[in-house]
Amino acid sequence: MTRPSYPTALAVAALLAACGDHGDHAAPPAVRGVEPWRGSFEAVVATDLDPAADVVEVALEARVADVEIATGHHVSMWTYDGVLPGPTIEARAGDTVRVRLRNSLPEATTIHWHGLRVPNAMDGVHVVQAPVEPGAELTYEFVVPDAGTFWYHPHVRSDVQVERGLYGAIVVRGDDEPETTTDRVVVLDDVLVDDTWQLAPFDDSQAMVGRQGNVLLANGHASAAVEIASGGLHRFRFVNAANARFFRLALPGQTLVQIGTDGGLLEAPREVSEILLVPGERADVLLRAGGAEGDALEWKTLSYERGHMTGAEPDLPIFGTTLGAAVDAAPAMPASLATIPALPAATVVRELTLEESHDAGGHAGHGGGSPVFSINGASFPDGAPLTGVLGAVEEWSIVNATEMDHPFHLHGFRFQIVDSVPAWRDTINIPAMTTVRFRVRLEDHPGRWMFHCHILEHAERGMAGELIVE
Ligand code: C2O
Ligand code: CU
Ligand code: CU
């Protein structure tokens, strides 16, 4: 991977002056400070309604609910079962998962199982299923083949429905999980609220960089904190459910050990000082929390320029972590984790170019019209689907020809980035003006699979495509 250096402050100032302040170039809204959250930190876990050991059955009602996202601030959101994030679905690799969805929202919806390799008919996208109308029900059922951290969200009007709060985590455990003191999900998000603390209107000026919020949420709450035992080995499964925000995660003063990516465990733990988590992406992190009882640590998202002045934001706190009483005994840091066989050379090579433009009235990136996004010249659903052969190994070059980063996601399969640490991925950043290559085996599941930018405003405005595998 190659990427040009960041623009200097002077160049940025010049760019800002030249652009004026069209909606699509406004600096991101300032994130609000709020009172500390005193309630629980943990996401609610879904109840398994099926007594069989290898079947997990969950009932989810999509409905409007008031959610206290920050102390004293109740926001009318769209939720699964009235909670934010939606209930975490827990299963073991190989289990059958059955989810009965009841739609009590004012509009049609679906559920997509992001990262789970499910049969095509269960993928929750409009090309394979009719959306579930208000008042209707639908049951999704599939086997979960892989251990890892995944998530679920609608795939119709996803820019609006996910921002309103429709998302939840899925944790699939395997036979060889590392032993840890704790194991928790942390779903990250941001929402844009107005002066009355309700969700701000959705409008096209948010489309260029994606709707970036002014309240940061960890498991549905701003300014929350979790207590963990000092000296323990703690596992955090991060999910980025934001429409557009890139979380550049760091815990100042502590060493993070990444053990997993989108598609499960790495081969071995890796010490890192920070993790860039793009929309849709997951990371599993171990923390050996050293320090005295009562010490307070703070997870932050560091300033990151992904294009269009987004780097003007300062480093921001996300949630706190306080150290409780020390553990008597803590598991050792695992030496190795999983085996990830390298994919063989590809028999099919493709190049996909990500592009942005405006529909009228100006040159690309600076015009007056609404932004339009495309891949290889076609704005989805225009353009012919790609076709692939079941079982083939393909190599895809994703060329980002735009001046901002785009997180690229492929449904149905997991892939490996070429010339990188062995890892299974389904959502990766393609930095501005950069090309990233990955290999994918089109295994097990024929059908119509989508790929798209996971900045949801971009996906809904054409930066998407379809791969037909048969
Ligand atoms: Cu998480 Cu097609 O999406
Ligand atoms: Cu997906
Ligand atoms: Cu994008």
Side-chain angles (χ1 to χ4, degrees), residues 112 114-115 409 411:
H112 168 61
H114 184 127
H409 170 50
H411 288 207

Side-chain angles (χ1 to χ4, degrees), residues 112 114 151 153 155 409 411 452 454:
H112 168 61
H114 184 127
W151 65 298
H153 63 78
H155 223 282
H409 170 50
H411 288 207
H452 57 89
H454 221 286

Side-chain angles (χ1 to χ4, degrees), residues 402-466:
T402 77
E403 56 195 50
M404 67 178 133
D405 295 15
H406 296 282
F408 185 89
H409 170 50
L410 173 64
H411 288 207
F413 307 98
R414 53 188 185 174
F415 54 78
Q416 296 177 356
I417 301 176
V418 176
D419 298 329
S420 179
V421 178
W424 290 115
R425 312 300 308 275
D426 57 61
T427 308
I428 51 161
N429 190 34
I430 316 292
M433 304 306 291
T434 297
T435 297
V436 177
R437 285 184 301 144
F438 63 74
R439 282 185 192 166
V440 57
R441 191 196 303 272
L442 305 179
E443 57 191 335
D444 298 337
H445 295 304
R448 302 174 63 174
W449 299 105
M450 289 197 69
F451 50 86
H452 57 89
C453 176
H454 221 286
I455 291 176
L456 298 174
E457 290 73 15
H458 298 179
E460 295 290 343
R461 286 166 182 75
M463 193 173 277
E466 205 188 324

Side-chain angles (χ1 to χ4, degrees), residues 19-81:
C19 292
D21 85 309
H22 325 293
D24 59 25
H25 284 245
V31 167
R32 296 189 184 174
V34 298
E35 293 296 307
W37 176 254
R38 306 274 180 214
S40 167
F41 179 80
E42 314 298 346
V44 169
V45 175
T47 305
D48 178 2
L49 302 170
D50 190 300
D54 56 353
V55 179
V56 176
E57 179 169 323
V58 170
L60 291 179
E61 183 185 17
R63 62 178 172 92
V64 177
D66 275 340
V67 180
E68 190 175 4
I69 65 168
T71 299
H73 297 291
H74 294 259
V75 179
S76 177
M77 308 279 292
W78 290 7
T79 67
Y80 295 111
D81 279 12

Side-chain angles (χ1 to χ4, degrees), residues 142-160:
F142 44 79
V143 170
V144 289
D146 309 307
T149 305
F150 308 97
W151 65 298
Y152 61 96
H153 63 78
H155 223 282
V156 287
R157 300 219 313 142
S158 62
D159 51 344
V160 173

Side-chain angles (χ1 to χ4, degrees), residues 251-419:
L251 186 61
Q254 301 287 319
T255 304
L256 303 179
V257 179
Q258 184 166 9
I259 57 167
T261 54
D262 300 321
L265 295 170
L266 293 164
E267 293 196 308
R270 304 184 67 215
E271 283 195 7
V272 292
S273 55
E274 58 178 71
I275 293 173
L276 183 65
L277 199 70
V278 300
E281 188 179 4
R282 287 86 65 212
D284 276 25
V285 176
L286 292 185
L287 172 66
R288 167 85 67 196
E293 187 174 346
D295 281 1
L297 312 172
E298 192 154 57
W299 290 87
K300 294 196 162 172
T301 179
L302 307 178
S303 178
Y304 180 74
E305 176 61 50
R306 61 180 177 85
H308 295 292
M309 305 299 300
T310 44
E313 257 192 337
D315 297 350
L316 295 164
I318 314 171
F319 69 100
T321 297
T322 49
L323 298 187
V327 282
D328 297 333
M333 186 64 71
S336 64
L337 296 163
T339 306
I340 300 178
L343 289 172
T347 55
V348 175
V349 174
R350 305 182 192 271
E351 188 170 283
L352 277 68
T353 302
L354 312 178
E355 306 136 336
E356 68 190 49
S357 60
H358 279 70
D359 62 0
H363 60 283
H366 301 81
S370 301
V372 173
F373 299 91
S374 56
I375 298 178
N376 287 354
S379 194
F380 188 81
D382 301 344
L386 306 177
T387 54
V389 174
L390 190 64
V393 175
E394 300 197 349
E395 185 168 302
W396 292 26
S397 289
I398 314 299
V399 181
N400 184 346
T402 77
E403 56 195 50
M404 67 178 133
D405 295 15
H406 296 282
F408 185 89
H409 170 50
L410 173 64
H411 288 207
F413 307 98
R414 53 188 185 174
F415 54 78
Q416 296 177 356
I417 301 176
V418 176
D419 298 329

